[in-house]
Every structure is written in C-alpha cells, then in structure tokens.
Amino acid sequence: MSNLSKLPVTVITGFLGSGKTTLIRHLMQNPQGKRLAVVVNEFGDVGVDGDILKSCAIPDCPAENIMELSNGCICCTVADDFIPTIEALMALDPRPDHILIETSGLALPKPLLKAFDWPDIRSRITVDGVIALADAEAVAAGRFAPDVARVDAQRLADDSIDHETPLSEVFEDQISCADIILLTKPDLAGPEGVAKAREIIAAEAPRPLPVVEVAEGAVDVRVILGLEAAAEDDMEARPSHHDGADDHEHDDFESVVIELPEQSDPADLVARIERLANERNILRVKGYVAVSGKPMRLLVQAVGARVRHQYDRAWKADEPRLSRLVVIAEHDDIDAAAIRDVLTRMPAVAE
C-alpha cells in the first residue's frame, strides 16, 4: 500500500504550555474540507485539553472523533492504549481523513513513531509529519530546564559532568524529531526573544528545520498538514537521547490533583498560582475552578508563573461545581501538602 492510500497522522509535540491545544482547536475550526480525528494525551486525571477540544467540535471533527488517553505518557502505553485507540478511529464510519495526535508535554515523540511500525497499523497509517511547538519566550529564557545557569556552571566547572536536565532532554528530543517548528507566543518574547529562540532551536536541530512564528495557533493548515514525511521510515534522521534504550521512564515528573472550594476572587487565585511557581518550582497548572456567584466555570492554565484564565462555559445542571487543578512538576518538587497550602492560603492583608 502506498503512502498516498494510507491514513495520514500528524504528531503534535511540544514543551508544557507551548500552545498545542490552541493549535489543534484552530485546525479543527479550519479543516479545509478534511474530516479530522484527534487523540489527546493528558498528564494527570483531569481532562482539560480533551474537554476544551470537545467543546469546539464541528461536523468535520465531531466529538466522537476526539479521544483521550489519560493513563500515562502516550509513548509508554502504546500496546495498552495507543494502538486500540488508533484502530477505533480507523473503524469510524465515515473514516477520518487525517488524525491529529497531541502528546503530553512530557512525551518523547520518537518512541511514539516507533509504534507506527506495529504490524496491525503499519500497512494502513503513515506519519504525515511531526510538528514541534516551542514557546518563544520560554525557550529564549531557558525555562525548559529548572535552572539552566546552574547546570551550565556545573558543566564548566567539572569536565566529568556531561548530562542534561530532564526538561532540556525532552525539549531536545522534540526538536530533533520534528519536521517543522512552530514558534509560539512571539508577541511575549519580542524580536530579541524570538531571535534568541531561533538561535537555540537551530543549535539543537540535527538538520535544518523550517521555523514558523505562530500567535494563538493561527497557521495555514497547508503549512503543517500534507507534509508526506513518512516519519516512521525516517527514524535515523531523528536522533534521541534515548536511542538504544528499550524504553524510558518519566519518574522525573509527577502530578497531583488539588481540589479547592469555590473561589470568591480569581485574581487572588492567580496570585497564589504565581507564588506556587516561584516557591515550589511548579512547571504547569491546569484545571477548572468554580467562582462564587458565577454561572460559568473558570478555565485556568499556567506555565510557570504565567497564568491565563477565562470562563469557558456554563456549569451543567447535573454537574457538581468542583474546583480541581492538576499541578505538574519534577518529582522532587511535588509535595501535595505544601502545594495545597499555597493554593488555599488566603492572601496577606496589607497593614
């Protein structure tokens, strides 16, 4: 079977909070006649990303074409979750024209590509391309590592130290596996930040890669779909820190779900999340919050100390008004009691 007759799949990867869900929402709303299906890999047990996308469902990408994998990293649960999900999407009637896979921010794309070599699906699917999103401001600032300056200082001081932090390895693997890089949030980075991010990406890329600046996920579908990269047959050109290993683990990262009472002032919650990032080295916070007196639920998404929030839809009549936030950090920085204390602590009263 030729690649042209196989069902194309686009893998969308990127560091935490880089804008993957925003991009997929844009693609769903601008499918250019393609019937799309989406696989969302959550980290944590609150389906924020999948819920956002299902709320945007349209005839060319109905809700039943959007599937979530929440039992762990997509590249670690291939046999149990990923392959059955892909087979279920291929069995839909009508069948999708294109499948989009949003990996978690912690997933390594290359092990996922290897899954497409499984006999049950290899003859029917091809990886049209791997799209890596990179937050321009975060990349320019080096926030994909907990403390880049300290790591660099250690490396310069001791020639025997030759390892990268887990976050930088994830970033490098995502760049190395990509066919095109989308540089997101360029407005926050400014011209100097964008130039710095481009420089860092060029240094990490194993081959020249196109880099496209994208704001709010708005990119021409023709730029990223229809690449015909057949990435599953091009593995040697996509080096990884984990080449040669049977698999990998994500013990470096952990998540905890924090339940909160109804909030009276979203601004106070934002301040607490900002403090959480600064005091506890938290990487990502996402979830829904009930606000007193408001009929709509508040969607909260944070990358480090940068917090975004908006009311996304009304609470359903039979839906409990629960506030739940998924908090993601490196293993040593996860202390559920301390995190809960910061998120529930009332702001200090100025004297």
Side-chain angles (χ1 to χ4, degrees):
M1 184 179 289
S2 70
N3 282 340
L4 291 178
S5 59
K6 293 181 179 181
L7 179 61
V9 172
T10 294
V11 176
I12 299 176
T13 187
F15 190 64
L16 295 167
S18 59
K20 299 185 296 295
T21 302
T22 301
L23 172 67
I24 292 179
R25 182 167 52 188
H26 172 77
L27 295 176
M28 288 171 57
Q29 294 171 341
N30 300 275
Q32 295 195 349
K34 294 181 183 292
R35 186 174 180 84
L36 300 177
V38 180
V39 177
V40 182
N41 183 210
E42 294 276 22
F43 191 84
D45 66 357
V46 177
V48 177
D49 294 347
D51 211 12
I52 293 172
L53 294 177
K54 287 178 181 177
S55 70
C56 301
I58 60 173
D60 282 329
C61 189
E64 59 266 26
N65 283 28
I66 302 169
M67 296 191 177
E68 296 176 73
L69 299 179
S70 57
N71 293 329
C73 168
I74 195 172
C75 55
C76 299
T77 59
V78 169
D80 294 335
D81 292 321
F82 175 64
I83 298 297
T85 297
I86 293 297
E87 290 179 329
L89 289 176
M90 288 191 294
L92 289 172
D93 184 17
R95 194 182 82 155
D97 299 315
H98 203 114
I99 297 176
L100 308 176
I101 299 177
E102 177 191 343
T103 71
S104 79
L106 305 176
L108 302 176
K110 190 167 182 178
L112 177 58
L113 294 189
K114 292 179 180 178
F116 288 94
D117 198 36
W118 282 52
D120 289 346
I121 64 172
R122 179 174 175 81
S123 63
R124 296 182 288 163
I125 274 189
T126 183
V127 182
D128 182 69
V130 178
I131 312 302
L133 277 67
D135 182 314
E137 184 186 36
V139 173
R143 284 203 302 268
F144 45 81
D147 190 334
V148 175
R150 183 181 301 173
V151 172
D152 289 342
Q154 288 177 325
R155 186 174 295 110
L156 291 172
D158 187 349
D159 291 338
S160 68
I161 296 178
D162 189 26
H163 64 274
E164 298 293 330
T165 65
L167 293 183
S168 64
E169 286 190 5
V170 172
F171 173 77
E172 290 163 13
D173 274 22
Q174 291 170 347
I175 296 298
S176 295
C177 201
D179 294 290
I180 187 169
I181 310 295
L182 299 186
L183 200 56
T184 62
K185 307 172 189 175
D187 53 323
L188 298 179
E192 291 185 3
V194 168
K196 179 62 175 176
R198 285 179 173 272
E199 181 182 310
I200 292 171
I201 290 169
E204 298 296 347
R207 60 197 181 283
L209 291 174
V211 178
V212 179
E213 294 176 36
V214 175
E216 297 298 330
V219 62
D220 192 317
V221 174
R222 295 170 299 178
V223 173
I224 59 175
L225 301 187
L227 299 181
E228 299 182 12
E232 70 276 15
D233 295 326
D234 189 31
M235 302 295 285
E236 294 301 318
R238 304 166 192 267
S240 165
H241 285 280
H242 297 268
D243 284 342
D246 291 334
D247 55 18
H248 73 282
E249 299 177 356
H250 286 313
D251 291 343
D252 297 305
F253 306 100
E254 193 172 330
S255 68
V256 62
V257 177
I258 304 296
E259 296 190 357
L260 302 174
E262 286 199 6
Q263 301 293 300
S264 59
D265 186 352
D268 285 343
L269 177 62
V270 168
R272 278 176 256 149
I273 294 174
E274 291 172 346
R275 187 163 65 245
L276 183 68
N278 294 326
E279 293 180 2
R280 307 296 310 178
N281 297 321
I282 298 303
L283 304 172
R284 189 84 163 91
V285 177
K286 59 182 180 179
Y288 297 109
V289 174
V291 179
S292 301
K294 298 292 185 181
M296 301 185 73
R297 67 183 188 180
L298 186 71
L299 169 64
V300 177
Q301 301 197 69
V303 182
R306 188 200 306 158
V307 186
R308 300 180 68 176
H309 59 94
Q310 65 186 65
Y311 293 101
D312 71 325
R313 68 164 174 80
W315 292 97
K316 298 176 183 177
D318 59 348
E319 183 178 23
R321 289 173 60 94
L322 296 177
S323 300
R324 305 180 76 210
L325 297 177
V326 178
V327 180
I328 304 171
E330 292 195 82
H331 178 78
D332 291 344
D333 292 321
I334 285 288
D335 181 330
I339 291 170
R340 186 175 292 104
D341 179 63
V342 173
L343 288 177
T344 57
R345 189 189 310 161
M346 295 302 292
V349 179
E351 297 182 357

